[in-house]
Amino acid sequence: MPLTLIFLLFTAVTLIADAAAHFPVSGDIPTFREAQAFRNGRECRRAAWSAVGADHNLAVIHIAMTLDVTYLRGSVAGVFSVLQHASCPENIVFHFIATMHRRPELRQTITTMFPSLKFRLYYFDSNLVRGKISYSIRRALDQPLNYARIYLADLLPTTVRRIIYFDSDLIVVDDVAKLWSIDLRTHVLGAPEYCHANFTNYFTRRFWSNPSYAASFKGRDVCYFNTGVMVIDLMKWREGEYTEKLENWMRIQKRNRIYELGSLPPFLLVFASDVERVEHRWNQHGLGGDNLEGLCRDLHPGPVSLLHWSGKGKPWLRIDSKKPCPLDSLWAPYDLFRHSSSSSSVFTDN
């Protein structure tokens, strides 16, 4: 059998298995327990945020996340973890991005679980990216909402000048104000960088064999960074028209297939070598294993402020299948999912 055909068959089997694991058949929205209210301490500055998103002082912390049925359990755990460890939780505003599908129910779910949470829900038009997405090695990476991070500067009010972007498969175990307060200096975004990564693995032979594409990295001291945790200066982003720059690489990918990994490579092409370095403690990523098998992994050496289950393996799926990884026990205390009377978590009784 030709090698090309073998690769295509392997890819098809992987996509089918991944779909079965990540996309619920019923489409029912999970039910959750209501979280306790989190209040500011006396040391917190008073923060005000209007309905249209205007900042009245710098005490407001803005966080963006996506919301959908498939990853809702992860998103809820992420929000809960942020609030639980924040020194001034009432000063945090969440900006949720969702497609039209089940949007009213998602809003009601967040309102019910977090009655005092300051948040806005924005509509993301999937048509913005449908013509620009090509299939990757994991189906979850191909979903339009995975590309919403590219459009934050367009979706959020211009009065929101800075944003923290979080993926929906992480928990924060430190005060998010520390991440918010980093100095981006002249950079558009900040993120933990990993300069030991082999950059050639993120792009295809077609990319490296094309002199004009490969020249994109010429003279740049490039390092890998994970786009699941970013601090972004939205004013600089808008001024530099970075959405258009990212879209340009997506169009090239659609024509010539120069990479395999969803929305990450365009960010590397545009921003690598121009990122404000954040401590590694703010993205202990890869806890979901690789994109094909999702095997268990250990923590990277060093202190931890954020645990990120990037990769195929998600803690809520492994817990429900009764096959958790050891580190999934760190995610379980933030799981507000209301288990049925006939089943319960292997780590917690909800």
Side-chain angles (χ1 to χ4, degrees):
M1 183 181 294
L3 290 176
T4 301
L5 182 56
I6 293 175
F7 173 77
L8 291 174
L9 288 172
F10 174 78
T11 301
V13 171
T14 301
L15 291 176
I16 292 171
D18 189 59
H22 287 82
F23 293 87
V25 175
S26 65
D28 292 338
I29 289 186
T31 56
F32 299 90
R33 296 176 289 114
E34 180 180 328
Q36 68 265 37
F38 295 95
R39 302 300 181 191
N40 283 355
R42 291 182 177 180
E43 72 281 5
C44 296
R45 294 172 57 192
R46 181 175 176 80
W49 187 73
S50 74
V52 295
D55 289 334
H56 293 278
N57 57 57
L58 298 178
V60 179
I61 296 174
H62 296 281
I63 298 175
M65 299 178 71
T66 59
L67 276 187
D68 68 350
V69 175
T70 305
Y71 280 85
L72 182 59
R73 192 164 162 190
S75 299
V76 167
V79 172
F80 186 42
S81 71
V82 169
L83 296 175
Q84 190 166 71
H85 294 281
S87 55
C88 302
E90 292 181 279
N91 292 7
I92 299 174
V93 178
F94 281 88
H95 302 264
F96 296 117
I97 317 297
T99 61
M100 189 61 74
H101 182 62
R102 312 294 289 274
R103 209 156 57 111
E105 293 162 277
L106 291 170
R107 178 188 293 276
Q108 182 59 42
T109 298
I110 295 297
T111 301
T112 301
M113 284 185 301
F114 303 104
S116 60
L117 187 70
K118 297 182 179 72
F119 77 92
R120 284 193 66 185
L121 184 60
Y122 303 83
Y123 166 58
F124 179 68
D125 185 357
S126 299
N127 292 321
L128 281 173
V129 295
R130 288 203 185 277
K132 306 181 187 79
I133 297 177
S134 56
Y135 72 89
S136 63
I137 61 174
R138 187 158 64 89
R139 184 180 175 185
L141 301 177
D142 301 339
Q143 302 308 302
L145 206 54
N146 188 46
Y147 292 81
R149 70 196 78 190
I150 294 174
Y151 297 91
L152 293 176
D154 302 317
L155 293 168
L156 274 57
T158 56
T159 49
V160 179
R161 301 185 293 271
R162 171 187 279 226
I163 196 78
I164 295 174
Y165 175 81
F166 281 154
D167 269 350
S168 296
D169 52 1
L170 58 78
I171 56 170
V172 176
V173 292
D174 201 346
D175 188 353
V176 74
K178 298 176 184 176
L179 179 61
W180 176 257
S181 65
I182 69 165
D183 184 2
L184 291 178
R185 299 186 293 177
T186 61
H187 300 289
V188 176
L189 66 82
E193 289 187 304
Y194 304 88
C195 298
H196 62 277
N198 186 349
F199 232 67
T200 59
N201 293 337
Y202 297 103
F203 300 92
T204 64
R205 290 183 179 180
R206 182 173 293 179
F207 175 87
W208 295 113
S209 63
N210 185 307
S212 63
Y213 296 159
S216 303
F217 292 123
K218 187 176 181 180
R220 297 165 62 183
D221 186 16
V222 295
C223 297
Y224 164 84
F225 67 96
N226 180 281
T227 57
V229 178
M230 297 183 289
V231 182
I232 303 173
D233 186 323
L234 293 177
M235 292 181 66
K236 287 189 176 74
W237 183 294
R238 293 171 182 125
E239 292 168 359
E241 299 182 342
Y242 284 96
T243 297
E244 289 77 6
K245 294 176 181 178
L246 292 162
E247 285 183 324
N248 181 57
W249 282 112
M250 291 167 64
R251 294 187 185 96
I252 293 174
Q253 159 73 354
K254 188 69 175 178
R255 296 194 304 267
N256 297 322
R257 191 155 188 83
I258 57 174
Y259 54 78
E260 307 284 354
L261 281 173
S263 62
L264 169 64
F267 273 88
L268 297 180
L269 285 159
V270 173
F271 290 108
S273 77
D274 192 19
V275 173
E276 179 63 32
R277 293 186 178 181
V278 175
E279 289 182 274
H280 287 176
R281 67 189 302 151
W282 283 105
N283 196 350
Q284 284 271 348
H285 69 288
L287 303 186
D290 62 22
N291 283 300
L292 296 177
E293 298 183 68
L295 301 178
C296 298
R297 286 187 177 175
D298 295 327
L299 287 174
H300 305 290
V304 179
S305 292
L306 184 150
L307 298 157
H308 187 188
W309 278 261
S310 57
K312 184 178 181 180
K314 303 306 174 189
W316 57 92
L317 296 176
R318 296 195 293 215
I319 289 171
D320 287 354
S321 67
K322 308 298 182 183
K323 298 178 182 178
C325 292
L327 290 178
D328 295 343
S329 63
L330 300 177
W331 180 89
Y334 302 95
D335 184 15
L336 294 177
F337 178 66
R338 188 184 296 278
H339 293 272
S340 64
S341 57
S342 60
S343 65
S344 62
S345 166
V346 293
F347 294 120
T348 58
D349 292 325
N350 291 333

